[in-house]
Amino acid sequence: MDSFTRDGLHFGVTEYGPSDGPIVLLLHGFPQTSASWGPVARRLAAAGYRVLAPDQRGYSPGARPSGRRPYRVEELAADVVALADAAGGGPVHVVGHDWGAIVAWALAALHPERVTTVTGVSVPHPAAFFRAMTRSRQALLSWYTYAFQVPGLAERYLARPGALAATLQRIGQTPERARRDEAALAALGGLRPALAGGIAWYRAAPLWQHPGLPVPVEVPALMVGSDGDAAVSLEAVHGNGAWMRGPYRLEVLPGVSHWIPDEAPDRLADLVLEHVAK
């Protein structure tokens, strides 16, 4: 499949692997696209899994509703349910990085019957993240999220030529990958509209139906963090276990930045394959 729809919105999807394999959904974060999963997706596909990587709400040109409310995490999770329905309707394995991890945790918490296993990469369960905001340096690391609340400001700044790539480099991306991410985002109908769609996720956070999403996860869960992350504190990562009620594993990769799927795709793929095989 190369697309699916929900409530009149049209989402692009990149598919890898056999059409009859167990389904793994890969959810990208900000400011990336489904293309960021390429190396990991190919490893999972080679192991026999059907891998689906969507360009999510705000990123797919056909799925950019106006306003903040359509970007609440409950809506983002419901998009993934619609993707699972379009792929066959059964429970799926879900892997998310960055904001995609928040959506993966929300999906597992709010719709556990639709999830076989969940893997969060870099970002923990929202309740663990928000708790770390008050008890660690996480609030300092997340300073940019406050700037994102000002309508139009961040997208105007980041849409300037080379500005997004330079910002990504400051958070650990290599120059080559930063330029790749900027180009991939621009390819989705223009850089500024895609940035506005992604930033809308941040602006919608105060409107969540479940503030802080204090709902535990009961399905088998894997958290993959890294000790070189300039955006997420280890306190937040280690706090994730408090919200897990089922089998749980934590792995912290040494010497890796926030961009785990880019820097350590084989290690991440190995961990996901071990997790879903159980």
Side-chain angles (χ1 to χ4, degrees), residues 18-84:
S19 60
D20 59 348
I23 296 174
V24 180
L25 306 184
L26 301 180
L27 309 178
H28 67 83
F30 178 83
Q32 295 188 305
T33 69
S34 59
S36 64
W37 285 111
V40 173
R42 286 188 286 272
R43 281 285 314 279
L44 301 182
Y49 290 90
R50 182 187 181 192
V51 181
L52 301 174
D55 289 313
Q56 297 190 80
R57 180 176 294 232
Y59 295 85
S60 283
R64 288 180 182 153
S66 60
R68 293 188 299 164
R69 186 165 293 275
Y71 295 90
R72 292 171 299 158
V73 73
E74 294 87 359
E75 293 293 334
L76 304 174
D79 291 341
V80 183
V81 172
L83 172 57

Side-chain angles (χ1 to χ4, degrees), residues 2 8 22 47 49 68 91 105 112 128 142 149 192 198 222 244:
D2 59 5
Y49 290 90
R68 293 188 299 164
W105 295 123
S142 298
Q149 296 300 317
R192 184 164 175 175
L222 169 66
M244 304 295 112

Side-chain angles (χ1 to χ4, degrees), residues 25-220:
L25 306 184
L26 301 180
L27 309 178
H28 67 83
F30 178 83
Q32 295 188 305
T33 69
S34 59
S36 64
W37 285 111
V40 173
R42 286 188 286 272
R43 281 285 314 279
L44 301 182
Y49 290 90
R50 182 187 181 192
V51 181
L52 301 174
D55 289 313
Q56 297 190 80
R57 180 176 294 232
Y59 295 85
S60 283
R64 288 180 182 153
S66 60
R68 293 188 299 164
R69 186 165 293 275
Y71 295 90
R72 292 171 299 158
V73 73
E74 294 87 359
E75 293 293 334
L76 304 174
D79 291 341
V80 183
V81 172
L83 172 57
D85 286 343
V92 296
H93 303 283
V94 182
V95 183
H97 173 246
D98 187 77
W99 257 106
I102 292 179
V103 177
W105 295 123
L107 180 71
L110 301 175
H111 305 281
E113 74 284 355
R114 308 306 303 269
V115 178
T116 305
T117 70
V118 59
T119 300
V121 185
S122 297
V123 176
H125 186 290
F129 188 85
F130 289 133
R131 185 175 186 181
M133 292 277 283
T134 64
R135 301 191 176 194
S136 73
R137 63 191 184 101
Q138 185 58 58
L140 180 62
L141 296 179
S142 298
W143 66 269
Y144 59 91
T145 64
Y146 309 112
F148 281 4
Q149 296 300 317
V150 181
L153 177 63
E155 48 266 55
R156 282 198 302 270
Y157 174 78
L158 293 173
R160 297 178 307 149
L164 178 60
T167 300
L168 292 173
Q169 289 179 58
R170 288 194 289 271
I171 314 173
Q173 274 289 49
T174 64
E176 179 182 6
R177 291 171 182 150
R179 290 191 296 269
R180 176 208 64 187
D181 289 342
E182 184 176 82
L185 204 61
L188 294 177
L191 183 57
R192 184 164 175 175
L195 281 167
I199 292 169
W201 293 32
Y202 292 87
R203 293 177 182 152
L207 306 177
W208 289 6
Q209 293 174 354
H210 304 269
L213 201 71
V215 183
V217 170
E218 298 183 359
V219 304

Side-chain angles (χ1 to χ4, degrees), residues 221-236:
L222 169 66
M223 174 73 217
V224 183
S226 54
D227 65 4
D229 197 322
V232 182
S233 67
L234 282 177
E235 291 87 350

